[in-house]
Amino acid sequence: MTAMVQDSPAVRPARAELPTVWGLDPVQLHDRFWAARGVCVVRPNDQTPIPQRADLFMLTDDRTLVLFPLRQAVDQLYWVKPEVLFIRLRGRPPKVYRELIRQDASARFLKFERDYGTTAGATARVALTRDRRVAELWQTTDGSGKVWRELRRQTRQIRGQTVRIVGQHYDRGSDHDLDLLVNHLVERWRTPTATIDGPRELRPGVWASGAGGGVEPSVRVVGRAWVGVGREVSGQQTLIGPAVLWDDPSRRPVPSRVRWGQIDSTSAAVAAARVDTGRASSHRRASKRVFDIIFASLVLLATLPLYPLILLAIWIEDGRPFFFGHRRETRGGREFPCLKFRSMRKDADEIRARLGNANQSDGPQFFISNDPRVTRVGCFLRRTNLDELPQFVNVLLGHMSVVGPRPSPRNENQFCPAWREARLSVRPGITGLWQVSRTRRQGFDFQEWIRFDVEYVEKASWLLDAKIILKTCRVMLGV
């Protein structure tokens, strides 16, 4: 038996103009959802300038809207490295129809009508590319089947790839599909403020505009909901999600443009997932290991006379132990003790428990200025980077490399799976791109950490390692 969904009593007539929430109609919400993931949606016969800062470009026709998990496609795109990745999207929601009430402009009843939803096929097609030129070329076409076939024919000669992914697709010409799309966005999009200005989270999963409207505390909300501008839910009502209360048409705001350069947290995950991890040649890995052993041995021999002095200074101020081994992760997630000269007091853990709310870092690591846990000798060791000399023993043991991502513990690596997989595809380094390039801007340290770790893994080379070592020497010498 075919399921039937009864529409609300005040069913709108066929839409001459799409409703909006926070100034964005369903198609624009779809595009902002993908923009939050670093993906620019590109359509044929569209004169909109293509942003320079997008990570990926999604080629689609002017009627198809899609939702699907991005990771599988990104893995294919950055490991197989096709110029264009063709995605055959399969799977769709159960087929339902709705009984609609059609009204004229004066709200007088005209007729009942059944909406069977989209007439689109069981599959849809889109394409992903990293090449901005391909995206610009797609804009000049009509997006017809003939154009798709020609694009496949041309890319097959250079490097084209096809992948099948389970997801949803929607016809932008169908009211039913657009409603379904927005409901799915409400369920999936946990932080719409990544690319939409205006909404604020009133309670977990309930977003409303700061420009007017909202949900009173007395209202019970089951599930997730978006409340548009000028809409107020009050009293003892119950709001069942996923739900969208569209903007009051008389108060519809003008949405701001997507600021591609400021999409950090989400696009960082995309960028991390696209890193060509593990593709370094065996020759480079072997030669870098030989370099690490030689370099670490020379540094340990050259600095050996400093060890008795450092040990004596630590002992005079705070006694033993002289060394501190913090558990960090190396290639493949294996843990090892990252050795340092002890620069903190013995009761540093107890002090940190009391300072939890004073953390100045925007990420999982702990950092405060003038840290009271650090001893006077420790301040000097940290300022001169002498506390990290024992890490060259870790290099000799194969735990670390001279140059690589910053070594971090398991609890910090849990915050971004794609970033974790990228950075743990190589050995962590005593120095690295993050250490010599970070700006220390308030609220940006963790984002820069992700960015520079990913950039190093993606661009790793002997030349890059040499530049990082040179910059490190300049920093240590103050030149």
Side-chain angles (χ1 to χ4, degrees):
M1 178 180 293
T2 303
M4 181 178 72
V5 178
Q6 181 67 41
D7 211 348
S8 61
V11 176
R12 54 186 170 265
R15 303 177 193 176
E17 183 178 4
L18 294 176
T20 64
V21 61
W22 311 318
L24 300 167
D25 64 38
V27 178
Q28 293 169 326
L29 288 170
H30 166 272
D31 293 357
R32 296 291 178 110
F33 171 83
W34 283 111
R37 284 146 182 77
V39 181
C40 175
V41 179
V42 182
R43 297 184 176 88
N45 298 314
D46 186 357
Q47 302 304 315
T48 305
I50 296 179
Q52 297 282 351
R53 301 293 296 274
D55 293 309
L56 295 174
F57 304 99
M58 180 190 295
L59 315 183
T60 182
D61 60 48
D62 57 3
R63 290 184 65 92
T64 302
L65 308 170
V66 297
L67 294 177
F68 61 88
L70 187 60
R71 180 59 187 268
Q72 181 182 349
V74 169
D75 285 345
Q76 288 281 333
L77 194 62
Y78 288 93
W79 284 81
V80 183
K81 293 186 179 296
E83 292 292 328
V84 179
L85 179 68
F86 295 95
I87 299 175
R88 181 66 66 175
L89 208 60
R90 55 189 176 86
R92 57 182 298 181
K95 192 169 184 178
V96 298
Y97 69 84
R98 301 184 303 173
E99 296 284 353
L100 303 179
I101 301 173
R102 294 303 183 192
Q103 300 169 309
D104 62 14
S106 301
R108 290 180 299 184
F109 172 79
L110 294 178
K111 63 177 180 178
F112 286 103
E113 184 176 291
R114 286 176 178 169
D115 181 4
Y116 288 90
T118 180
T119 57
T123 61
R125 58 187 173 190
V126 296
L128 288 177
T129 181
R130 294 174 294 170
D131 195 330
R132 191 171 185 272
R133 296 169 300 175
V134 174
E136 291 173 338
L137 179 62
W138 180 253
Q139 279 190 316
T140 65
T141 70
D142 60 8
S144 64
K146 180 179 179 181
V147 174
W148 276 108
R149 289 191 294 272
E150 179 62 21
L151 180 63
R152 289 179 65 88
R153 186 188 67 81
Q154 292 184 12
T155 55
R156 190 179 297 118
Q157 298 175 2
I158 43 179
R159 278 186 73 85
Q161 182 78 14
T162 300
V163 62
R164 289 176 171 81
I165 298 178
V166 176
Q168 285 92 23
H169 63 97
Y170 316 84
D171 184 347
R172 67 182 295 180
S174 164
D175 285 2
H176 174 261
D177 275 23
L178 292 180
D179 287 338
L180 197 62
L181 165 66
V182 176
N183 283 338
H184 288 164
L185 288 176
V186 173
E187 291 177 321
R188 297 185 183 195
W189 201 355
R190 302 294 176 176
T191 312
T193 49
T195 50
I196 302 175
D197 291 335
R200 67 189 192 283
E201 194 169 22
L202 303 181
R203 61 183 82 172
V206 180
W207 294 81
S209 173
V215 180
E216 290 187 352
S218 60
V219 175
R220 182 188 179 199
V221 182
V222 180
R224 303 175 61 82
W226 291 354
V227 181
V229 177
R231 301 298 187 185
E232 186 79 32
V233 186
S234 59
Q236 301 299 318
Q237 300 184 60
T238 299
L239 186 60
I240 299 178
V244 175
L245 301 183
W246 303 103
D247 294 332
D248 180 346
S250 64
R251 301 180 60 182
R252 179 177 298 172
V254 177
S256 60
R257 302 183 66 178
V258 177
R259 293 184 289 273
W260 287 91
Q262 297 181 18
I263 302 175
D264 295 311
S265 60
T266 48
S267 63
V270 174
R274 67 180 169 85
V275 174
D276 187 12
T277 58
R279 293 295 184 179
S281 67
S282 58
H283 172 72
R284 168 171 163 73
R285 289 196 297 269
S287 59
K288 184 171 184 178
R289 180 64 186 142
V290 171
F291 170 81
D292 286 341
I293 293 173
I294 295 174
F295 191 94
S297 300
L298 293 175
V299 170
L300 288 172
L301 288 174
T303 59
L304 192 59
L306 298 176
Y307 279 46
L309 299 177
I310 296 174
L311 297 178
L312 179 61
I314 294 174
W315 182 74
I316 291 175
E317 181 174 2
D318 201 40
R320 296 184 178 183
F322 302 118
F323 299 95
F324 176 72
H326 194 259
R327 303 298 295 180
R328 305 291 177 94
E329 288 188 319
T330 184
R331 283 184 62 188
R334 293 179 289 107
E335 287 191 312
F336 72 99
C338 184
L339 299 175
K340 288 187 177 185
F341 283 120
R342 186 169 63 87
S343 60
M344 289 188 177
R345 294 167 45 173
K346 298 175 184 178
D347 57 349
D349 290 338
E350 291 79 2
I351 297 176
R352 173 172 175 171
R354 299 196 300 266
L355 298 174
N357 295 330
N359 188 11
Q360 298 173 0
S361 172
D362 63 320
Q365 70 271 41
F366 185 86
F367 170 80
I368 59 174
S369 302
N370 301 317
D371 195 330
R373 301 174 299 166
V374 182
T375 63
R376 286 174 297 175
V377 173
C379 287
F380 173 77
L381 294 177
R382 288 187 170 202
R383 188 169 59 251
T384 57
N385 294 306
L386 293 175
D387 62 319
E388 298 185 357
L389 285 177
Q391 290 180 20
F392 285 101
V393 176
N394 289 122
V395 174
L396 292 180
L397 295 175
H399 302 147
M400 298 177 64
S401 180
V402 174
V403 181
R406 172 188 176 274
S408 56
R410 181 182 298 273
N411 67 308
E412 292 181 8
N413 286 331
Q414 302 304 306
F415 278 74
C416 183
W419 166 59
R420 176 189 183 276
E421 295 304 313
R423 68 196 313 274
L424 295 185
S425 66
V426 297
R427 289 187 179 91
I430 294 178
T431 187
L433 194 58
W434 176 72
Q435 288 91 327
V436 300
S437 303
R438 58 182 172 172
T439 63
R440 290 284 192 190
R441 286 187 299 162
Q442 184 76 23
F444 284 87
D445 210 40
F446 184 54
Q447 298 176 32
E448 289 185 345
W449 180 10
I450 292 178
R451 170 191 166 193
F452 289 123
D453 278 356
V454 168
E455 185 176 342
Y456 175 78
V457 176
E458 185 180 27
K459 299 179 179 180
S461 67
W462 279 113
L463 180 60
L464 180 59
D465 285 2
K467 289 180 179 179
I468 292 172
I469 292 174
L470 181 60
K471 285 185 178 181
T472 303
C473 294
R474 288 176 175 174
V475 170
M476 293 181 64
L477 297 175
V479 297

